[in-house]
Structure formats: structure tokens, C-alpha cells
Amino acid sequence: MLSEFPQPEPDALKHSVSLVAHIKEQILAAGGWISFADYMELVLYAPGMGYYSAGAHKLGMDGDFVTAPEISPLFSRCLAKQCVEVLTELDNSVVLELGAGSGVMAADMLLEFERLQCLPAEYLVLETSADLRARQAALLHERVPHLVSRVRWLDGMPEQPIRGVIVANEVVDALPVERFAINRDGPAELGVGIQADKLVEEMRPATGVLLKSIELLQSESGLLTESDYTSELSLRLPAWVASLNDWLQEGVVLLFDYGFSRREYYLPERSSGTLRCYYRHRAHDNPFVWPGLQDITAWVDFSYLAEAAQAVGMKVAGYTTQAHFLLAAGLDEQVAIETESYAGNTQDEQQKQIELAHALRQLILPGEMGESIKVMALCKGSVLAPSALAGRDMRSSL
Ligand SMILES: C[S@@+](CC[C@H](N)C(=O)[O-])C[C@H]1O[C@@H](n2cnc3c(N)ncnc32)[C@H](O)[C@@H]1O
């Protein structure tokens, strides 16, 4: 497989070798084995070394994968318009974006807030990667220099719980997950050990909270009854959702991610799980390929996310597909605004039309992001969920 992938530059390879050495040290210090979640945490977020923490390009056509805000500003404009519904309902409200990637969504949302004459007092960003934070600041200074003073990067949780909207696109699928297997001998946990000086997958009998969670899934009719079944679950998700609840005084959390309900997640035919690795726009399922140079993600169990939110008192106010959300949020109107300036006569305009049609296909077609990406709205206080969540209410599927 590796021979089919574009080879990394020598510096990047050196970087990956250093990260692997660091991971091996951690494995040896832990007695020869670490959980997959700990491995994922290290390869993605080890300070200065992990995929997100270090200097690789990551997002966009020159990187490893594209996200909806990278595909077209139409995504962020539709989202901004929905946020305005909440911002106008709550006094002194702000927007908090989690995991802002290249910063392009922040730039496009700020421009749309300005066009709609509804700029929030502050646009807060909580970004764990120092490298991405620097890239976000540079992009915002270049694209929206007159609005950048409204943007404030947080070093941790907000000083005071906020009133407003928390938005996160493709952040939940970047949270470390545990991997497990159902074998003839029972549930096992997949982790990482060292053999012949190489990082390898090693199984151990599942124990503790992981075992309880697997047993809970098995007790739900029809789930995880097959043997030779491998999948994922995120034991860190409930704590993460609880922190969102702590950060919000009143308002709405809007989460966009690849995922589905629990019943669809643990279908018998999805017997190799949902783990996906991205290297220069090649998707595969081997998390040991050039550690630190590729992204690793797992799809989100939105039923689990909803339960975690309800457990801390948040209301699951909406759950739908990205396509339904964007269409109900006025995507067609945004397309009309975008195209009114060009008649399609010049070569440049024709090119723009082609690019726009391609972007729309990626955003809304079922085989692309349209149905794979879901949107969940979590509400705190008496505020209403943005109207586009009502486009197709799928909460009964959770
Ligand atoms: C797949 S990228 C998505 C970036 C961007 N939202 C987009 O749609 O283009 C994941 C982002 O989440 C950030 N991230 C990961 N874990 C995080 C956490 N616990 N809190 C905040 N950001 C996080 C990563 O550094 C990165 O910016």
C-alpha cells in the first residue's frame, strides 16, 4: 500500500521517525502496551510532534483532507445565518468555534455576520494545536483584517460561561477513540505494543469501563452479536460534552460530523469499524502509516453523544443531515447571491460556475458529505434551536 502513496519529504519522514521514538518511550514506560486512544492522542496531539500539533499542511487541497468550510464559503455563510437566529435571541452573545482548522470558517462566518449586520461582540476560538492557531491568525489577518480584532483565542475553557453559540465542524471525529474486537473468546481491547522494534496492534481482554460499555451495546438487541467484529467507541466523549455544558450559560451547541445513530454504527456488516486515516487525500484504515503525517478519525455515535448531553441536562434540540441543514438554511439563496455577480460569459466565470457546481455536489449529495455528515443541536436554557434543524428532524432515529 505504502508504495502507492506519494512519498513524504525527507524532513517529514525524519519527523515521523522522532514521533515513533517518542511513542515507543511512552509504551515502554507504560509496561509495553498503550490503549488505542492513548496512541491516537499521541499521533495527533503530542505537543510539537503530533499530526495536528506540528507543521504539516493538513487541511485543503495541498494537505490530506478537505472539510465542508474548505470546499466552499457557502457552508459557513449558511451556518452564520443560523447562528444569527440565536445571537439575536440572546443579549451580549458570542460565538465560540472549537477546532478552527485553517481559520477559513471563522473568516467566512465573520464576513456573513457583517453582511447581515449582526456581528457578535466576540468570536472566540478554542484550538488545541499551536501550529493551527498560528495559521488561523495569519489567515484572518489576511482575509478579514478589519474584523480580526473581534477574534480571541482561548488558552483553555472560557473564563466565564458564555451566552451564544458553540460551533464545531469535524472536531468530534478527531477525539481519540478506544478500539475493540468481539472474538470467540469475548470482547478484547485493541492497543499498541512493540514487536521487532516496530509499533504493532496488540489485543488484550477488555476490562473496566470499556468492557461495561461493550456489554451495554451487546445488551441492546442485535448489536455486536457477531464474532470477528472490530469497532470503536469514545470513552472520552461524555467528559468532553460535559465541558461544553460547563462553558455555556445559555445558548446552542452545533456539532457537524461524520457519523450516525448507534443502530447504524454497530451494524453487522460494518465489521471493521469506522476508523479512517487520511494521507494526501488517500483514505485507508492503517493507523501505523507514517505516524504524525496522516490524520486519523472515527465516525461519531450520535446516540451516545445525545445521551451524554442529556446526562448533563442539555436538550437535544435537533439532529439532521448536512444536506437537509444547508438546504433549510438557505443554500439556494446563497448560491443566487454568489452567482449574481457573474454571467458565465468569460472563461474565468465559466470556471467559477464549474467549481461552484462541484462544491455543491460535495456538500449535499448523499454519496458525498450530504448524508454522511450529520448536524446535532444541543440547547441550554430557554433558547430555541436554529430553524434549519427542523428541515428533517431525525431525532427519533437516535
Ligand atoms: C478535522 S480538523 C477540522 C478543522 C475545521 N473545523 C474544519 O472543519 O476545517 C479538527 C480540528 O479540531 C482541533 N481539535 C482537536 N481536538 C480538539 C479539542 N479537544 N478542542 C478543540 N479543538 C480540537 C484540531 O486541532 C483541528 O483544528
Side-chain angles (χ1 to χ4, degrees):
M1 180 178 65
L2 278 185
S3 57
E4 296 159 21
F5 287 5
Q7 283 295 306
E9 301 298 316
D11 276 357
L13 272 178
K14 235 163 91 184
H15 173 85
S16 180
V17 169
S18 316
L19 177 61
V20 169
H22 175 66
I23 295 171
K24 283 181 187 164
E25 278 169 23
Q26 304 297 311
I27 293 174
L28 292 174
W33 186 90
I34 56 172
S35 69
F36 187 80
D38 287 343
Y39 173 74
M40 189 164 163
E41 174 82 40
L42 287 167
V43 282
L44 296 185
Y45 305 112
M49 299 179 110
Y51 176 75
Y52 281 108
S53 322
H57 200 85
K58 304 180 259 287
L59 292 100
M61 288 320 292
D62 302 334
D64 301 295
F65 59 95
V66 284
T67 57
E70 298 284 333
I71 287 171
S72 165
L74 299 184
F75 173 86
S76 307
R77 290 177 197 157
C78 288
L79 176 56
K81 210 166 158 222
Q82 290 295 297
C83 291
V84 163
E85 293 182 12
V86 181
L87 296 175
T88 47
E89 217 182 314
L90 296 173
D91 299 334
N92 300 320
S93 47
V94 300
V95 174
L96 165 58
E97 182 181 353
L98 307 177
S102 69
V104 72
M105 184 165 115
D108 289 328
M109 282 184 58
L110 281 163
L111 287 171
E112 186 66 3
F113 288 138
E114 182 180 47
R115 189 183 76 81
L116 297 170
Q117 300 183 337
C118 189
L119 274 164
E122 282 196 305
Y123 189 105
L124 305 169
V125 176
L126 181 58
E127 171 56 66
T128 44
S129 156
D131 172 62
L132 284 176
R133 189 169 155 157
R135 287 175 194 260
Q136 290 155 13
L139 182 135
L140 287 162
H141 275 101
E142 191 196 316
R143 296 247 187 115
V144 288
H146 62 300
L147 297 174
V148 81
S149 61
R150 288 183 191 258
V151 184
R152 185 159 63 88
W153 281 265
L154 301 175
D155 292 320
M157 60 184 285
E159 312 79 41
Q160 308 273 346
I162 61 158
R163 289 161 62 74
V165 196
I166 299 180
V167 290
N169 186 61
E170 287 204 42
V171 175
V172 191
D173 72 1
L175 296 180
V177 288
E178 337 294 315
R179 297 197 80 202
F180 63 89
I182 309 290
N183 298 321
R184 260 166 288 135
D185 304 334
E189 176 168 8
L190 301 183
V192 181
I194 306 170
Q195 278 173 26
D197 208 30
K198 282 195 160 42
L199 296 177
V200 288
E201 182 181 280
E202 278 181 9
M203 274 193 219
R204 291 188 168 185
T207 55
V209 188
L210 177 66
L211 180 61
K212 281 210 175 78
S213 307
I214 298 168
E215 285 170 350
L216 202 68
L217 289 171
Q218 287 178 316
S219 69
E220 291 192 21
S221 60
L223 295 181
L224 300 180
T225 51
E226 317 286 308
S227 65
D228 292 329
Y229 193 97
T230 301
S231 194
E232 299 80 37
L233 62 82
S234 170
L235 292 182
R236 300 176 187 203
L237 189 66
W240 187 77
V241 173
S243 56
L244 300 185
N245 181 52
D246 292 343
W247 300 343
L248 198 61
Q249 184 193 335
E250 185 168 20
V252 181
V253 181
L254 285 172
L255 302 171
F256 292 76
D257 244 298
Y258 286 100
F260 17 57
S261 70
R262 180 172 303 140
R263 261 171 289 164
E264 297 161 281
Y265 202 105
Y266 298 109
L267 279 176
E269 55 267 37
R270 222 182 296 287
S271 60
S272 333
T274 67
L275 197 83
R276 272 278 164 277
C277 307
Y278 294 91
Y279 174 76
R280 308 234 189 131
H281 301 277
R282 273 114 179 131
H284 64 98
D285 61 4
N286 182 350
F288 298 109
V289 170
W290 295 315
L293 304 185
Q294 63 167 357
D295 191 21
I296 303 181
T297 71
W299 284 36
V300 176
D301 171 356
F302 275 98
S303 305
Y304 189 41
L305 183 51
E307 285 162 8
Q310 283 160 340
V312 291
M314 290 175 119
K315 184 173 168 228
V316 180
Y319 173 61
T320 192
T321 65
Q322 174 170 295
H324 281 95
F325 178 89
L326 292 178
L327 292 167
L331 183 63
D332 50 351
E333 194 188 308
Q334 294 291 352
V335 171
I337 297 170
E338 178 75 15
T339 50
E340 73 190 3
S341 61
Y342 47 89
N345 295 331
T346 67
Q347 218 175 7
D348 186 36
E349 286 171 342
Q350 280 171 10
Q351 185 56 31
K352 279 187 178 164
Q353 300 264 25
I354 292 168
E355 283 168 11
L356 180 64
H358 181 60
L360 288 172
R361 278 200 297 275
Q362 284 180 283
L363 290 178
I364 59 173
L365 282 189
E368 305 269 350
M369 292 176 168
E371 286 196 359
S372 321
I373 293 193
K374 310 292 190 306
V375 194
M376 180 165 272
L378 307 174
C379 287
K380 186 165 179 182
S382 56
V383 68
L384 296 173
S387 56
L389 271 303
R392 180 179 165 213
D393 186 352
M394 292 169 38
R395 281 176 294 173
S396 62
S397 71
L398 288 168

